[in-house]
């Protein structure tokens, strides 16, 4: 008698969906890591260098001290009653902890909050959004979630009724989107970013893909834009954003704006503009455009991935729809309180004049300038490799170089029954311990190959990474050159 | 340009169908009244800290230190934190790849999953594999993940107790599956009769539904009953015969208020039954840091443990977990601390035991106070709260009240609960939110209000109820 829960009988959408960021290559890397631990000489490298995932603090990035002070005090409020606390914590972190605790009923950080998140924290976030954009934000539009990803899932759940519902996604994309669409039984409608123009987003391409989908009977419901881009790193120009907003308004599409890298911009000629700001500055209000903006505590200069904090700001929806969104949020009761507090800190950090401002801004600027340097160093290193071209990382945390693999390599990959970019990444891993994610995990123009590499290894390690990578690449090309 | 994508008419139907009464109409009305200045006693959700229960000291000390590791280097840290909390924080930090701020393994930190496995082994007497334990952002997320795996479409049914905690009905709705109810017997202390199960399955199959899984909530929510070992054996045999995955929601396993039926895990009973059944029945067990005597709801910490699930299926479940990257790390540490608390001889041991016992003994007293209080009211019958955190009294509404409810366009128990709320500020959840037999009405309240407030709450309820009954019966008591 067949047991009920086998791969042949579980939800086929689960089987179908994929998520390469923690896929095959990473599983192999973990295995190799175990082997080195047991026997240090097992492989031609001392350690695995995880460049597969945007997880800054796992590679030595330090958290922002002020944020952690406040969180520790909120985790253990009885510290605030002790005089010794003033010796160990900054004055303004104590003040901020009091302020936050006063906004939580009974100062009970262990209690479920309102399903959208603690009201006082949403007020702080709304104020932060307004300060950033120059346009008002309503705390009732904000839903605090365990990271931005659950908020994305919620929207896909709402939007996708069947496989006839399509969501426009950039190619290359962060594979949360493809996975979520597959899980909810919808159809991903790809639009291609243009590698030749720094991963440019053309509205003509959006239109073309929209029409193609419609002609196949797909009801396209939303447009996902990741800005700054992941894996591609481009920061959209404001005019570009205006075209995108106009397109969504005209076509009645929900604009899903993934803005989790909004603090990661490394080039002086570009600036982050939220889609909310762009829409409002065009005179578009609630009646004109459905917009959902996602933010997270995992990226930026704070890099607090393990906390699972984030939010979505929803504007342009009727009260009846909002009720359903609230209802969905309420089934999970609420997101973790510590993550909620952190989201409010990220959106309203220390200001000029605050006691912690100088140390806070030194930490922040140190991290951001280091990220910018590492982005440049690695970009240059990739561009020096034979057959490799790499667009600049204007923002985010990744580089997405393109590799022209020789025919011999492609043949060898075929024989190994791996995609060519996966073949390259596997070899790289087994010979150097460096973990990249093959481009096929993100999508790419057919016949082109890429891989994604984070810019996160500590600055001191970068020269060693570059050397190992360069040496490997030379050997690889020697072996497979046409 | 026609209808916009997020207009109400074009929403996913499954979303529209979902109901979750715990934060539904009553709660929203109570929140409105609170804003207007009325004093509200929220007994709608199992949220102990919101009603004055204090967090245990030791775990908060440890997590605060993990949150701010720079404290560990400070020579003055011993002024504020005991040595064992400091040692514990260092130990947990060493388990992480980068402190609390780094994504962990998508299944949770291996070190903590090992602690959970050891806890399970101590509890049940059978070894548990950490590779089959996945930590999640609260048990609810785990339930949703597993149900999403099992349900392929409308043709797939899941057996759910009635009354049930509406996470199950909501999730089945969202996944597009079918809920197959089995009724608990109120007259037999909310007992589970296997014959009811058989009938429910037969009925479902007759309707073309493939029944794939069975949910048990032990101790029960909202009903509080603790399953006997005999009952668990019957259930496991039933699942074996009918090829069902058993989903064991055991989040209230620390909340036991009687001594006749202590908590026994479904896994222990399964293992006790020996082969072949112990190697064949597929079981997923759920636990949390939100309940028990910890009550750390706001942390969102939980786990599920898989038994007899094939490796390929486990891989698929792992894949789904990886899309969410990782469960939140602070809550993982809370989970570690819960399953591996201070031991005799530890500096913090006595405080830990004192705080824990205090909470549990008080909950036991409050379970009794509430049950007796409800039973002293006219037309109210209440089974004893054997476990969990709720009281689920039956309210025998007179025909005139039911009519008045109809006239007001309300389901009768919602009508009653709204009036209760307006009159007393007590915010409950109507029984219809959990499911009940046709024509039988209940409400769910928690046993969580502070002990010193209980007598007043119960007398306030009695006054309202007895007056309500008088009004609608037209007969003076």
């Amino acid at each position: 008698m067949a047991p009920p829960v086998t791969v042949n009988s579980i939800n086929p959408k689960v089987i179908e969906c994929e998520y390469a960021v923690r896929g095959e290559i990473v599983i192999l890397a973990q295995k190799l890591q175990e082997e080195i631990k047991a026997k240090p000489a097992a492989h031609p490298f001392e350690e695995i260098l995880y460049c597969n995932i945007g997880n800054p603090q796992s590679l030595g990035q330090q958290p922002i001290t002020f944020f952690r002070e406040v969180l520790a005090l909120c985790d253990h409020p009885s510290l605030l009653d002790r005089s010794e606390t003033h010796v160990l914590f900054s004055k303004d972190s104590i003040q901020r902890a009091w302020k936050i605790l006063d906004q939580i009923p009974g100062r009970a950080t262990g209690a479920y909050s309102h399903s959208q998140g603690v009201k006082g924290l949403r007020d702080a976030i709304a104020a932060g959004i307004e300060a950033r954009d120059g346009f008002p934000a309503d705390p009732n539009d904000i839903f605090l979630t365990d990271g931005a990803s659950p908020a994305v899932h919620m929207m896909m759940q709402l939007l996708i009724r069947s496989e006839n519902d399509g969501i426009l996604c950039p190619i290359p994309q962060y594979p949360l989107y493809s996975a979520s669409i597959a899980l909810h039984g919808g159809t991903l409608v790809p639009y291609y970013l243009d590698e030749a123009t720094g991963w440019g987003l053309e509205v003509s391409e959006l239109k073309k893909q929209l029409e193609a989908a419609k002609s196949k009977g797909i009801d396209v419901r939303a447009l996902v834009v990741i800005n700054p881009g992941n894996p591609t790193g481009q920061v959209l120009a404001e005019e570009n954003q205006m075209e995108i907003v106009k397109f969504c308004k005209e076509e009645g599409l929900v604009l899903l704006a993934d803005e989790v890298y909004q603090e990661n911009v490394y080039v002086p000629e570009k600036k982050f503009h939220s889609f909310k700001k762009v829409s409002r500055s065009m005179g578009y209000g609630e009646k004109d455009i459905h917009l959902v903006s996602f933010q997270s505590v995992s990226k930026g200069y704070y890099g607090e991935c393990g906390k699972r904090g984030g939010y979505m700001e929803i504007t342009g929806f009727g009260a009846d729809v909002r009720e359903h969104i609230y209802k969905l949020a309420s089934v999970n009761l609420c997101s973790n309180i510590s993550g909620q507090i952190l989201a409010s800190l990220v959106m309203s950090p220390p200001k000029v004049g605050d006691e912690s401002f100088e140390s806070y801004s030194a930490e922040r600027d140190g991290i951001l300038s280091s990220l910018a340097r590492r982005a440049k160093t690695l970009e240059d290193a990739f561009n020096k490799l034979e057959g490799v071209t790499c667009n600049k990382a204007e923002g985010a945390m990744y580089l997405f170089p393109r590799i022209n693999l020789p025919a011999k390599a492609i043949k060898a990959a075929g024989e190994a029954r791996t995609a060519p970019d996966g073949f390259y990444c596997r070899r790289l891993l087994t010979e150097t311990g460096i973990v990249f994610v093959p481009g096929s995990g993100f999508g790419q123009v057919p016949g082109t190959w890429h891989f994604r590499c984070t810019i996160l290894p500590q600055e001191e390690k970068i020269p060693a990474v570059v050397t190992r990578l360069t040496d490997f690449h030379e050997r690889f090309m020697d072996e497979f050159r046409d | 340009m026609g209808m916009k994508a997020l207009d109400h008419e074009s929403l996913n139907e499954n979303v529209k169908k979902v109901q979750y009464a715990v934060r539904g109409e009553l709660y929203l009305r109570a929140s409105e009244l609170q804003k207007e200045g009325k004093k509200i006693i929220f007994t709608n959700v199992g949220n102990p800290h919101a009603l004055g229960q204090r967090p245990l000291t030791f775990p908060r000390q440890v997590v605060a230190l993990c949150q701010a590791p720079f404290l560990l280097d400070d020579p003055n840290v011993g002024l504020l934190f005991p040595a064992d909390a400091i040692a514990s924080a260092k130990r947990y930090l060493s388990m992480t790849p980068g402190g609390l701020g780094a994504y962990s393994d998508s299944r949770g930190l291996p070190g903590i999953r090992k602690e959970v496995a050891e806890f399970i082994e101590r509890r049940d007497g059978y070894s548990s594999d950490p590779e089959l334990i996945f930590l999640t952002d609260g048990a609810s997320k785990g339930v949703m993940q597993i149900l999403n795996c099992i349900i392929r479409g409308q043709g797939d049914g899941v057996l759910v107790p009635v009354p049930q905690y509406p996470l199950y009905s909501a999730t089945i709705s969202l996944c597009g599956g079918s809920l197959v109810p089995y009724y608990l017997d109120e007259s037999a202390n909310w007992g589970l009769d296997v014959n009811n199960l058989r009938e429910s399955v037969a009925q479902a199959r007759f309707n073309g539904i493939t029944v794939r899984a069975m949910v048990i909530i032990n101790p029960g929510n909202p009903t509080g009953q603790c399953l006997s070992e005999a009952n668990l054996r019957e259930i496991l045999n039933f699942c074996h015969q009918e090829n069902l995955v058993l989903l064991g929601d055991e989040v209230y396993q620390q909340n036991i208020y009687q001594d006749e039926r202590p908590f026994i895990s479904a896994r222990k009973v399964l293992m006790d039954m020996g082969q072949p059944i112990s190697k064949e029945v597929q079981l997923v067990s759920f636990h949390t840091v939100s309940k028990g005597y910890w009550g750390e709801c706001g942390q969102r910490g939980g786990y599920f443990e898989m038994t007899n699930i094939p490796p390929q299926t486990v891989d698929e479940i792992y894949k789904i977990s990886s899309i969410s990257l990782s469960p939140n790390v602070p809550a993982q540490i809370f989970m570690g601390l819960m399953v591996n608390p201070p031991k005799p001889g530890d500096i913090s041991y006595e405080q830990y035991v004192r705080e824990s016992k205090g909470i549990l003994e008080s909950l036991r007293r409050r379970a009794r106070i509430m049950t007796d209080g409800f039973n002293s009211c006219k037309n109210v019958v209440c089974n004893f709260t054997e476990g969990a955190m709720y009281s689920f009294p039956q309210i025998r509404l007179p025909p005139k009240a039911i009519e008045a409810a109809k006239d007001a366009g309300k389901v009768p128990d919602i009508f009653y609960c709204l009036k209760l709320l307006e009159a007393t500020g007590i915010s409950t959840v109507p029984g219809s939110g959990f499911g009940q037999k046709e024509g039988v009405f209940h409400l769910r309240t928690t046993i969580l209000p502070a002990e010193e407030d209980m007598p007043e709450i119960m007398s306030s309820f009695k006054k309202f109820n007895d007056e309500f009954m008088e009004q609608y019966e037209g007969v003076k008591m």
Side-chain angles (χ1 to χ4, degrees):
Chain A
M1 193 168 54
V5 181
T6 68
V7 283
N8 300 318
S9 65
I10 59 174
N11 184 354
K13 297 181 209 138
V14 166
I15 306 284
E16 202 190 299
C17 89
E18 287 172 342
Y19 186 71
V21 175
R22 281 198 158 174
E24 216 179 286
I25 297 273
V26 181
I27 293 172
L28 176 59
Q30 285 165 340
K31 179 161 164 284
L32 298 179
Q33 188 170 40
E34 291 296 303
E35 287 170 14
I36 298 174
K37 221 165 113 180
K39 199 172 115 190
H43 293 282
F45 45 85
E46 287 171 355
E47 56 171 350
I48 300 288
L49 253 162
Y50 287 100
C51 300
N52 61 304
I53 181 174
N55 195 11
Q57 293 190 29
S58 74
L59 292 166
Q61 181 174 308
Q62 293 301 300
I64 299 295
T65 306
F66 178 79
F67 293 168
R68 291 302 189 92
E69 286 181 295
V70 176
L71 287 170
L73 291 167
C74 291
D75 272 339
H76 189 37
S78 32
L79 287 171
L80 293 165
D81 300 323
R82 307 277 302 269
S83 57
E84 298 96 325
T85 301
H86 295 272
V87 175
L88 287 167
F89 290 82
S90 63
K91 200 168 91 193
D92 52 352
S93 72
I94 293 172
Q95 258 171 10
R96 181 72 78 102
W98 273 124
K99 181 163 179 224
I100 289 168
L101 288 168
D102 283 341
Q103 291 167 335
I104 296 175
R107 305 212 179 114
T109 54
Y112 294 126
S113 70
H114 186 285
S115 293
Q116 285 177 243
V118 175
K119 175 67 167 40
L121 298 175
R122 285 184 280 131
D123 289 341
I125 292 170
I129 294 171
E130 185 165 345
R132 179 195 69 194
D133 295 346
F135 292 96
D138 184 346
N140 293 322
D141 290 343
I142 293 168
F143 286 72
L144 282 153
T145 47
D146 290 305
S149 300
V152 170
H153 283 301
M154 236 194 278
M155 291 314 300
M156 294 305 176
Q157 179 128 61
L158 229 72
L159 287 166
I160 296 172
R161 295 162 298 181
S162 75
E163 66 201 352
N164 295 324
D165 284 331
I167 312 282
L168 274 160
C169 286
I171 300 295
Q173 46 102 42
Y174 172 51
L176 164 69
Y177 294 96
S178 45
S180 189
I181 292 165
L183 270 175
H184 293 101
T187 296
L188 190 152
V189 178
Y191 67 88
Y192 290 85
L193 301 175
D194 188 359
E195 187 159 14
T197 60
W199 299 113
L201 201 170
E202 297 301 322
V203 174
S204 54
E205 166 69 4
L206 293 179
K207 284 201 168 96
K208 175 171 147 219
Q209 298 297 348
L210 174 63
E211 293 310 315
K214 276 188 192 164
S215 67
K216 288 195 218 131
I218 304 281
D219 199 347
V220 181
R221 315 207 61 201
L223 169 68
V224 173
V225 180
I226 309 173
N227 182 44
N230 175 7
T232 46
Q234 85 286 19
V235 177
L236 294 171
E238 209 173 345
E239 306 77 61
N240 208 178
Q241 288 181 277
M242 286 164 63
E243 292 171 333
I244 294 164
V245 168
K246 188 153 168 282
F247 172 74
C248 289
K249 174 171 166 18
E250 284 164 0
E251 301 293 344
L253 300 175
V254 179
L255 178 52
L256 301 173
D258 178 339
E259 300 178 329
V260 303
Y261 296 100
Q262 56 187 263
E263 303 266 10
N264 301 100
V265 179
Y266 309 128
V267 295
E269 65 271 16
K270 289 281 180 71
K271 230 186 110 200
F272 170 76
H273 304 283
S274 76
F275 270 102
K276 172 111 174 299
K277 174 175 148 195
V278 170
S279 311
R280 295 291 179 268
S281 63
M282 292 166 77
Y284 289 165
E286 299 267 338
K287 294 208 188 337
D288 299 300
I289 178 158
H290 292 312
L291 170 62
V292 183
S293 313
F294 302 96
Q295 166 62 319
S296 168
V297 305
S298 301
K299 312 300 178 191
Y301 56 88
Y302 20 91
E304 296 276 22
C305 302
K307 300 298 182 63
R308 314 317 281 115
Y311 69 80
M312 63 178 178
E313 182 195 12
I314 62 171
T315 55
F317 300 107
D320 46 7
V321 172
R322 296 166 62 95
E323 261 174 47
H324 286 297
I325 299 177
Y326 170 81
K327 182 181 65 178
L328 272 186
S330 75
V331 177
N332 195 49
L333 287 147
C334 72
S335 64
N336 85 79
I337 307 299
S338 185
Q340 292 188 31
I341 293 172
L342 186 49
S344 79
L345 291 170
V346 159
M347 296 307 287
S348 63
K351 288 190 278 296
V352 177
D354 292 351
E355 178 189 328
S356 297
F357 179 73
E358 273 180 40
S359 56
Y360 154 80
S361 48
E363 288 175 357
R364 176 197 65 196
D365 295 344
I367 289 167
L368 287 173
S369 55
S370 173
L371 285 167
R373 285 192 298 272
R374 284 178 270 168
K376 190 74 179 66
T377 305
L378 286 168
E379 178 204 334
D380 290 345
F382 281 122
N383 276 312
K384 289 207 177 79
L385 300 177
E386 180 187 343
V388 177
T389 52
C390 186
N391 281 337
K392 177 182 282 300
E394 297 182 334
M397 286 179 176
Y398 314 95
L399 287 162
F400 199 63
R402 177 171 167 186
I403 179 169
N404 273 324
L405 288 163
K408 253 169 97 180
I410 296 179
K411 184 157 176 276
E415 280 158 16
R417 285 192 317 194
T418 323
D421 49 12
F423 180 77
Y424 180 92
C425 288
R426 201 169 211 277
R427 277 289 203 98
L428 175 71
L429 168 60
T430 53
E431 291 184 27
T432 68
I434 298 172
V435 190
F436 289 168
V437 186
S440 35
F442 304 88
Q444 51 205 347
V445 169
T448 68
W449 312 108
H450 302 76
F451 43 81
R452 188 186 81 167
C453 160
T454 70
I455 61 173
L456 299 174
Q458 282 302 283
E459 230 170 325
E460 323 77 81
K461 283 213 154 90
I462 297 280
V465 173
V466 172
T467 309
R468 273 198 259 169
L469 170 68
T470 308
D471 291 346
F472 162 80
H473 189 83
E474 266 177 43
R475 289 196 307 274
F476 184 91
M477 293 308 274
D478 285 342
E479 187 181 337
F480 292 105
R481 199 176 286 112
D482 292 320
Chain B
M1 193 205 77
M3 192 160 57
K4 283 200 277 200
L6 265 176
D7 288 344
H8 187 254
E9 302 78 61
S10 62
L11 280 187
N12 181 354
E13 280 303 312
N14 289 341
V15 169
K16 287 197 256 191
K17 276 194 241 152
V18 167
Q19 305 278 351
Y20 185 71
V22 175
R23 281 206 160 168
E25 189 182 340
L26 250 300
Y27 172 71
L28 292 170
R29 180 70 188 128
S31 305
E32 266 169 38
L33 289 170
Q34 186 182 45
K35 276 199 202 115
E36 291 167 19
K38 189 174 174 67
K39 176 164 189 273
I40 303 293
I41 302 147
F42 285 99
T43 72
N44 60 306
V45 75
N47 197 11
H49 294 199
L51 290 157
Q53 180 176 310
R54 301 188 59 75
L56 300 172
T57 307
F58 184 73
R60 290 306 189 97
Q61 289 172 326
V62 175
V63 176
L65 285 165
C66 290
Q67 198 70 266
F70 56 80
L71 292 172
L72 293 167
D73 300 324
D74 194 304
N76 290 311
V77 67
L79 295 173
L80 283 177
F81 296 90
D84 55 355
I86 294 169
S88 186
K90 287 187 177 154
R91 193 169 69 83
Y92 281 110
L93 283 173
S94 73
M95 288 184 196
T96 67
L100 298 189
Y103 293 126
S104 71
D105 184 305
S106 299
R107 298 161 292 188
L109 292 163
I112 294 183
R113 285 153 56 218
K114 183 158 173 282
E115 288 186 312
V116 173
E118 288 164 357
F119 154 76
I120 292 170
E121 183 166 351
R122 284 192 306 273
R123 182 193 67 191
D124 295 345
Y126 294 98
S127 69
S128 174
D129 184 356
E131 296 298 291
L132 297 175
I133 294 168
F134 285 28
L135 306 182
T136 51
D137 285 315
S140 297
K141 286 250 167 86
V143 168
M144 291 187 214
Q145 202 177 329
I146 298 296
L147 281 173
N148 186 53
C149 236
I150 294 171
I151 297 172
R152 296 163 299 184
Q154 224 181 352
D156 283 341
V158 179
L159 275 162
V160 175
V162 177
Q164 49 103 37
Y165 172 53
L167 164 69
Y168 294 96
S169 45
T171 304
I172 292 167
S173 239
L174 278 171
C175 294
S178 294
L179 190 152
V180 179
Y182 66 91
Y183 288 86
L184 301 175
D185 187 353
E186 188 163 12
S187 63
N189 216 32
W190 296 117
L192 202 168
D193 185 348
V194 175
N195 293 316
N196 280 345
L197 285 179
R198 278 193 240 282
E199 257 178 57
S200 298
V201 172
Q203 182 68 48
R205 287 182 180 151
F206 182 74
N207 293 331
I209 297 194
T210 306
V211 184
R212 310 203 59 206
M214 173 174 176
V215 174
I216 54 169
I217 310 173
N218 181 38
N221 175 7
T223 46
Q225 85 287 13
C226 298
L227 291 171
S228 66
E229 185 171 351
N231 230 174
L232 281 164
R233 281 180 176 251
E234 278 182 309
I235 291 163
L236 285 160
N237 272 321
F238 180 75
C239 288
H240 190 228
Q241 283 153 16
E242 303 294 342
N243 225 3
L244 307 175
V245 184
L246 182 61
L247 305 180
D249 178 339
E250 300 176 333
V251 301
Y252 295 101
Q253 58 186 267
Q254 292 167 341
N255 300 102
I256 310 291
Y257 311 127
Q258 40 70 39
D259 301 317
E260 294 78 41
R261 266 176 308 287
F263 172 75
I264 308 178
S265 76
R267 190 165 187 273
K268 176 180 196 310
V269 177
L270 179 62
M271 294 301 131
D272 283 346
M273 290 167 85
Q275 296 194 34
I277 187 173
S278 61
K279 285 236 185 288
E280 289 178 3
V281 172
Q282 295 183 322
L283 167 65
V284 185
S285 314
F286 301 90
H287 198 11
T288 181
V289 303
S290 300
K291 311 299 177 192
Y293 49 90
W294 279 55
E296 291 279 11
C297 302
Q299 309 300 342
R300 313 317 279 111
Y303 75 74
F304 60 87
E305 181 201 17
M306 296 175 280
T307 302
N308 297 328
I309 308 290
Q312 275 184 301
T313 307
V314 174
D315 284 344
E316 293 293 333
I317 295 172
Y318 180 14
K319 181 182 73 177
I320 301 297
S321 295
S322 71
I323 302 169
S324 305
L325 290 147
S326 92
N328 90 72
V329 179
Q332 296 187 42
I333 295 177
F334 271 98
M335 179 58 80
L337 290 163
M338 185 179 87
V339 299
N340 192 13
K343 294 190 245 316
D346 291 352
I347 297 166
S348 301
Y349 176 70
E350 278 180 31
Q351 174 190 252
Y352 181 83
V353 169
R354 191 182 1 107
E355 290 175 349
S356 310
K357 270 177 100 179
I359 291 166
L360 274 176
E361 285 167 2
S362 172
L363 283 168
R364 192 180 262 240
R365 289 191 296 269
R366 282 179 274 170
R368 184 43 75 192
I369 294 171
M370 230 175 197
T371 307
D372 292 347
F374 281 128
N375 278 317
S376 77
C377 297
K378 185 165 172 47
N379 291 340
V380 178
V381 172
C382 190
N383 282 333
F384 176 59
T385 296
E386 298 187 345
M389 283 179 177
Y390 311 96
S391 192
F392 196 65
Q394 184 187 143
I395 315 287
R396 295 181 172 159
L397 293 169
K400 284 218 183 106
I402 296 176
E403 246 190 77
K406 266 204 195 83
D407 292 340
K410 296 259 177 237
V411 169
D413 50 16
I414 295 182
F415 178 76
Y416 177 93
C417 291
L418 280 169
K419 289 228 173 273
L420 169 68
L421 171 64
E422 310 265 350
T424 65
I426 299 171
S427 171
T428 57
V429 188
S432 42
F434 304 88
Q436 47 204 355
K437 284 218 171 87
E438 183 82 38
V440 183
F441 305 106
H442 305 79
L443 57 81
R444 187 188 82 166
T445 169
T446 67
I447 61 170
L448 299 173
E451 216 172 325
E452 58 271 18
D453 295 337
M454 277 276 177
E456 205 197 305
I457 292 173
M458 295 318 291
S459 72
S460 177
F461 175 86
K462 184 170 163 64
K463 181 166 182 288
F464 160 80
N465 176 77
D466 293 358
E467 280 172 11
F468 179 98
M469 293 305 168
E470 216 179 279
Q471 177 188 354
Y472 287 101
E473 276 185 337
V475 174
K476 221 171 159 67
M477 224 186 87

